[in-house]
Amino acid sequence: MAGAGWRTFLAVGLVCGVGLLPWLTSTDPAYTVLKARSAEREPTPEVLADIRRQLGIDGGPLHVLTGWLGGLLRGDAGQSWISGSDVLPDVLRALGASLLLMAVALLVAVLTAGLICARTLRLGARRRLGGRRAVGSASAVLASLPEFLVASVLATVVGVQLGWLPALGWYGPQWTVLPALALGLPAGAVLGRLLDDLLPGAFGEPWALAAAARGLTGRSIARQALRRCVPALLPNLGLFVVGLTGGAVAVEQVFDIPGLGRTTLQAALAQDLPVLQAGTLALVLLAALATGATRLAARLLTGPALRDGALSSLHRPAPPAGGLLPLLYGLVLLAVVGLGLARDPLALDTGQRLRAPSLDHPFGTDALGRDLLARVGHGALDTLLLAAAISAVALLAGVLLGLVPRISAPLVDTVNAVPPVLVALLVTAVAGSGAATPALAVGAVAWAPLAAHTSSLLRQERATLHITATKGLGAGRVHLLRYELLPAVVPPVLRHALLRLPGVALALASLGFLGLGAQPPSPEWGLLLAENQPYAERAPWAVLAPAAVLALLGALAVSAAGGLRRRPAKTSPGTTEAAAGPERRSVAGAEQEPAGVT
């Protein structure tokens, strides 16, 4: 009951905060509505007072909030302040479009994750994982591509030039293919990397050894290993559900889709409070449903082993991967940034507009004749350093909050219901626009996936046999946390944070792309992509240059994550071989069945 009360309090606080947005800013909502309805009309005090009476906001913010909540109980979300139409039908239509797009994008994401994990599943089924080499450069590049850039390329090449699929509008299922690919491919790459990180531990559990000894087929063992790992990823899958529904604003803009994210964005920009409130409430309810469904699915898949403390640890000590690839990627990235910093990013030469790459301009030039290498290099200071700082803070906050799931779980659900774009709009409305707006908006939500991952792994790790044995030997909570739980949970969460480092950079770039971040002539990467997107057909290098550096950052993050493996550690003081984990040393444990298998 306490968790439900905390969750309700946060949801109500979020909706009320959005509802009070016009009164948190210096802009009069009546003035905004007047400009939207009739830009020529003078905003005299009498005119503004008349608009307030028409909108029903002359009684103040509390009057508006109570009236809106009372209307919801009657099934009435009010009328749009801009168009005057009923809000509920419009929001429900937008939600339906977003849910259809989300469902197809999730299908694409699951298929993509399956392709990324196919090699590990095949080798695990054949008991050949010992010689498996770390992979992930291709998935890193895929996860690092900006969704709005993928959407632009698909719309231009597949939709316009080749004419295979419709590129604009929303008139039927076939219009969902290209935007679903733009959303699902990066999300599937992240899920695939997380799943691929867990599978070797599942194939090394005693039940897998016993199954192979009994002659079960490799396909059956691989299927059960997949079932063993999926519960740890379901919380993040729930986050993707809401993110793909309300956070797909840039993709909806590119493909002209009347989805919930775009509708909420337009309402926030116009200060159309009833539409904004209804859209936010829909996202909060969707987040609650997705979280409840994923938790129920995790319990069903895990079975009684979670309750009885009969799981094996998926995060076993393993030697770290080789360090040549991250060193190579890091040197290339440093070289690009260093060469760019030596050039002037603001020097204009209209005679060199949209020049192809050459010795003088290795990355080519943009529409104003500015050197793209210089702009990419100087933009790295704004994008990479900021993304690294946000990721570090998000990692620390995610791990700390993940250790207290009763507090963090409702907070994660509420935070995840608000896309970074909407957070940026709230920050802009309260604090004004500027370079700090994207950082505050992305930082406010970046910790949520890491907290969900930490609490999910911690829940399963606490149910393992070696934790049960350590407790039986008298180990206290501090000992368990320091020597058993944190060493098992922190490395995969740290690798997860590194995988999300390019995503943080992409979120910053997306806000710049939508005009909510840095302003010209800043060389911030998102702004570079936004400025050069109209010239993608004529000068593809103008968008490929910053996109390639983002992809290089993703490859560096994934390869560096592979080197952060938990090394085999010495037995902690006061811990015996039995406490270190009976399932790691007991041959008799080979008869253990996988969690959730009946």
Side-chain angles (χ1 to χ4, degrees):
M1 291 298 295
W6 173 229
R7 194 183 305 274
T8 302
F9 172 78
L10 290 173
V12 171
L14 173 62
V15 175
C16 291
V18 173
L20 293 173
L21 176 61
W23 288 271
L24 295 176
T25 68
S26 58
T27 303
D28 187 348
Y31 179 81
T32 304
V33 172
L34 174 64
K35 289 302 180 183
R37 292 181 176 179
S38 178
E40 297 81 10
R41 196 175 179 185
E42 287 294 327
T44 62
E46 294 78 12
V47 171
L48 295 178
D50 182 60
I51 291 178
R52 293 190 194 97
R53 284 192 296 269
Q54 295 177 15
L55 299 178
I57 60 175
D58 52 336
L62 294 179
H63 172 74
V64 173
L65 281 177
T66 54
W68 177 69
L69 292 174
L72 286 179
L73 296 177
R74 301 188 303 270
D76 180 15
Q79 293 181 330
S80 169
W81 286 358
I82 305 301
S83 65
S85 60
D86 290 336
V87 167
L88 194 58
D90 294 339
V91 170
L92 290 178
R93 279 194 295 270
L95 178 60
S98 292
L99 289 178
L100 176 59
L101 177 58
M102 177 268 292
V104 182
L106 273 182
L107 177 61
V108 173
V110 170
L111 293 176
T112 303
L115 291 175
I116 292 174
C117 298
R119 181 171 176 269
T120 301
L121 287 170
R122 184 176 64 255
L123 293 178
R126 299 175 181 176
R127 315 302 300 171
R128 296 179 182 176
L129 278 177
R132 184 185 72 126
R133 292 184 178 181
V135 294
S137 296
S139 60
V141 171
L142 190 59
S144 303
L145 290 177
E147 294 171 348
F148 55 84
L149 179 61
V150 177
S152 301
V153 171
L154 289 176
T156 301
V157 177
V158 180
V160 178
Q161 293 183 348
L162 299 178
W164 291 349
L165 290 167
L168 294 176
W170 189 257
Y171 306 104
Q174 56 184 346
W175 274 264
T176 65
V177 177
L178 293 183
L181 287 173
L183 289 170
L185 290 176
V190 174
L191 286 175
R193 290 303 309 163
L194 294 177
L195 183 58
D196 194 71
D197 190 42
L198 294 175
L199 282 171
F203 280 114
E205 287 185 338
W207 68 263
L209 301 176
R214 292 173 179 173
L216 268 68
T217 63
R219 179 176 299 180
S220 176
I221 297 174
R223 184 169 60 251
Q224 296 300 337
L226 191 63
R227 181 179 179 180
R228 173 69 177 91
C229 297
V230 165
L233 299 181
L234 284 175
N236 277 279
L237 186 61
L239 299 182
F240 276 119
V241 167
V242 183
L244 293 176
T245 305
V249 181
V251 174
E252 291 177 354
Q253 292 276 55
V254 171
F255 289 101
D256 194 25
I257 299 173
L260 186 60
R262 186 184 181 196
T263 299
T264 306
L265 172 64
Q266 293 173 343
L269 290 173
Q271 283 194 339
D272 195 350
L273 179 57
V275 177
L276 180 60
Q277 286 177 311
T280 304
L281 181 62
L283 289 175
V284 171
L285 294 177
L286 179 63
L289 291 175
T291 301
T294 53
R295 287 180 178 172
L296 178 61
R299 289 185 178 276
L300 293 176
L301 287 174
T302 307
L306 184 64
R307 179 198 62 208
D308 298 337
L311 291 175
S312 296
S313 176
L314 289 174
H315 307 285
R316 299 161 181 261
L324 292 180
L325 274 181
L327 180 61
L328 175 63
Y329 293 141
L331 289 176
V332 173
L333 186 60
L334 285 177
V336 170
V337 174
L339 292 174
L341 290 176
R343 298 168 176 254
D344 186 359
L346 302 178
L348 299 177
D349 187 356
T350 55
Q352 297 291 321
R353 295 177 65 251
L354 299 177
R355 294 288 183 180
S358 63
L359 291 178
D360 293 334
H361 304 286
F363 283 4
T365 61
D366 64 6
L368 297 178
R370 295 173 295 192
D371 184 76
L372 281 173
L373 176 59
R375 294 185 65 73
V376 168
H378 283 266
L381 298 179
D382 297 330
T383 304
L384 292 183
L385 296 180
L386 189 57
I390 292 175
S391 297
V393 174
L395 173 63
L396 180 61
V399 171
L400 292 178
L401 288 172
L403 295 177
V404 283
R406 291 186 178 180
I407 297 177
S408 64
L411 192 59
V412 167
D413 300 340
T414 305
V415 168
N416 186 60
V418 186
V421 173
L422 184 56
V423 177
L425 288 169
L426 298 177
V427 173
T428 301
V430 176
S433 61
T437 298
L440 293 174
V442 175
V445 298
W447 60 270
L450 302 177
H453 196 193
T454 300
S455 61
S456 176
L457 295 178
L458 194 66
R459 188 182 306 112
Q460 293 206 26
E461 194 67 24
R462 281 174 172 162
T464 55
L465 289 171
H466 73 94
I467 294 295
T468 303
T470 307
K471 288 180 179 179
L473 293 174
R477 292 184 177 181
V478 175
H479 179 94
L480 289 173
L481 184 65
R482 178 179 178 183
Y483 293 107
E484 300 294 342
L485 296 176
L486 286 180
V489 170
V490 170
V493 176
L494 181 56
R495 292 194 292 272
H496 185 184
L498 280 175
L499 289 176
R500 286 194 172 270
L501 174 61
V504 171
L506 293 183
L508 296 171
S510 297
L511 295 178
F513 177 80
L514 293 172
L516 299 174
Q519 301 298 318
S522 170
E524 194 270 332
W525 288 355
L527 190 58
L528 288 183
L529 290 168
E531 291 175 340
N532 295 311
Q533 185 196 6
Y535 311 99
E537 288 189 70
R538 179 180 172 187
W541 55 85
V543 292
L544 288 178
V549 180
L550 279 170
L552 181 62
L553 173 63
L556 173 61
V558 170
S559 58
L564 295 174
R565 300 286 175 181
R566 182 186 174 196
R567 295 177 179 273
K570 296 180 179 180
T571 304
S572 58
T575 305
T576 66
E577 176 73 9
E583 83 280 4
R584 301 176 189 172
R585 64 174 182 85
S586 173
V587 177
E591 297 300 320
Q592 178 185 339
E593 293 292 340
V597 179
T598 56

